[in-house]
Amino acid sequence: MQLSTVILPIHRWGEGQKVWQRAEELGFHTAYTYDHLSWRTFRNGPWFGAVPTLTAAATATQSMRLGTLVTSPNFRHPVTLAKELISLDDISGGRITLGVGAGSTGFDATTLGQEPWTPRERADRFAEFVSLLDRLLTEDGAEGVSHEGDHYAAHEARNIPGCVQRPRLPFAVAATGPRGLKLAARYGQAWVTTGDPRLYESGTPAQSVQALRGQTEKLADACAALGRDVQDLDRILLTGFTPDRARPLDSLDAFVDFAGRHRELGFTEIVTHWPIPDSDFAADQKVFERIAMEAPAQLR
């Protein structure tokens, strides 16, 4: 089981680069960041762009993988995003993973002045967004990619020389519903979940485990329907949104117990938030770093 972290883009780079470099020193498999324009309780504080942050992180680190968790169609277009991603993949030497999801009704959904999309429209846009992005990052010939869809268009969009990673950089598709799980099965090299949001406030850890078991089973069914082995996909749990959200970082033993229970469900990667004092992601930094250094060996 791999251990990764999410570093929110809240630091000016003079301080932020130290955090990303420390994450690499601690041995994290991947350091992700949120791709939002603002987010919840951080809305009125510093918040920097995901792609510039990852570009800077790519030049400040050597081997740790980097990625978004997650990018969505809320304020992105596949054509411009593809150009940024191939550039980022090149700068990082092929260390980028694109976490991608349908988005939600949060701040990003209206900041460009549009009305919030309905759940159905978000799902429709997500399906077209992922399939077109797959083409843009894979078909890097001189003829370019053309597409005229219900929500997105491209005309001879060229992405030469393409990704460093072949046939393209990996997608980690965030999904819990049937349409999203089908996209994960078709296009994903990994699948991402935060658990069942309905259990966030009043659910129990046992209920959460059962819900996650159901999600993994549905993912396996979606893969089987396409003739794909679910073992081909990494299965990523982004922590902090399950009923026991704070407890895994209380101690090394608590984390190993939490991660072990989820490894039994088939998860191959656990992602924790880098501690932020006085926030939803507050945690003891020393305990967090001990978990980073010692937990992976105990989970092998």
Side-chain angles (χ1 to χ4, degrees):
M1 172 174 275
Q2 305 286 359
L3 180 56
S4 298
T5 190
V6 168
I7 301 171
L8 297 192
I10 61 174
H11 306 285
R12 289 193 180 277
W13 191 243
E15 180 63 28
Q17 65 177 332
K18 299 173 186 176
V19 177
W20 289 83
Q21 289 170 339
R22 182 59 178 157
E24 183 166 59
E25 290 172 359
L26 290 170
F28 282 108
H29 175 261
T30 304
Y32 300 97
T33 198
Y34 285 5
D35 188 15
H36 290 289
L37 296 175
S38 60
W39 192 77
R40 298 189 186 180
T41 56
F42 297 90
R43 187 180 187 187
N44 295 321
W47 191 276
F48 296 94
V51 172
T53 296
L54 289 170
T55 303
T59 64
T61 59
Q62 299 296 320
S63 58
M64 179 176 64
R65 290 195 63 82
L66 309 165
T68 58
L69 210 64
V70 295
T71 294
S72 81
N74 272 350
F75 62 94
R76 296 290 189 185
H77 190 286
V79 170
T80 52
L81 178 61
K83 184 66 70 174
E84 292 180 339
L85 289 171
I86 65 164
S87 304
L88 184 52
D89 198 45
D90 181 67
I91 292 166
S92 69
R95 292 187 283 136
I96 298 300
T97 294
L98 177 72
V100 61
S104 65
T105 57
F107 309 125
D108 297 341
T110 58
T111 195
L112 297 183
Q114 75 269 33
E115 291 297 316
W117 300 326
T118 65
R120 184 184 189 89
E121 186 174 9
R122 283 203 306 275
D124 289 344
R125 284 178 175 272
F126 186 41
E128 188 176 339
F129 185 90
V130 172
S131 62
L132 177 54
L133 194 58
D134 172 69
R135 287 190 60 202
L136 288 162
L137 293 173
T138 306
E139 300 174 23
D140 50 30
E143 67 277 7
V145 171
S146 295
H147 171 84
E148 192 68 43
D150 294 329
H151 304 288
Y152 302 103
H155 178 67
E156 298 181 1
R158 289 168 173 80
N159 285 307
I160 302 168
C163 295
V164 173
Q165 300 173 88
R166 290 295 185 173
R168 59 157 165 76
L169 55 80
F171 289 179
V173 180
T176 56
R179 291 184 67 184
L181 290 170
K182 288 179 181 178
L183 287 174
R186 181 177 297 277
Y187 295 105
Q189 284 65 57
W191 164 67
V192 183
T193 183
T194 58
D196 187 337
R198 296 170 297 183
L199 300 175
Y200 180 80
E201 292 293 344
S202 57
T204 67
Q207 289 173 325
S208 178
V209 166
Q210 185 60 33
L212 287 166
R213 180 177 289 109
Q215 291 178 9
T216 59
E217 290 171 352
K218 290 175 182 177
L219 176 68
D221 290 342
C223 287
L226 293 174
R228 187 176 183 187
D229 188 343
V230 72
Q231 301 301 320
D232 290 343
L233 277 77
D234 287 324
R235 280 138 285 161
I236 302 170
L237 176 63
L238 173 59
T239 64
F241 304 98
T242 56
D244 49 1
R245 49 194 169 274
R247 295 173 195 160
L249 295 181
D250 283 349
S251 68
L252 174 62
D253 289 344
F255 182 84
V256 170
D257 177 69
F258 173 88
R261 283 186 280 117
H262 291 83
R263 179 182 58 188
E264 292 174 359
L265 299 177
F267 285 96
T268 60
E269 184 177 344
I270 298 286
V271 184
T272 62
H273 291 82
W274 192 272
I276 302 172
D278 303 316
S279 77
D280 293 340
F281 305 122
D284 186 298
Q285 185 72 31
K286 291 182 179 179
V287 172
F288 175 81
E289 294 198 2
R290 186 183 178 202
I291 289 169
M293 291 185 290
E294 299 182 28
Q298 295 193 30
L299 290 166
R300 288 193 186 104

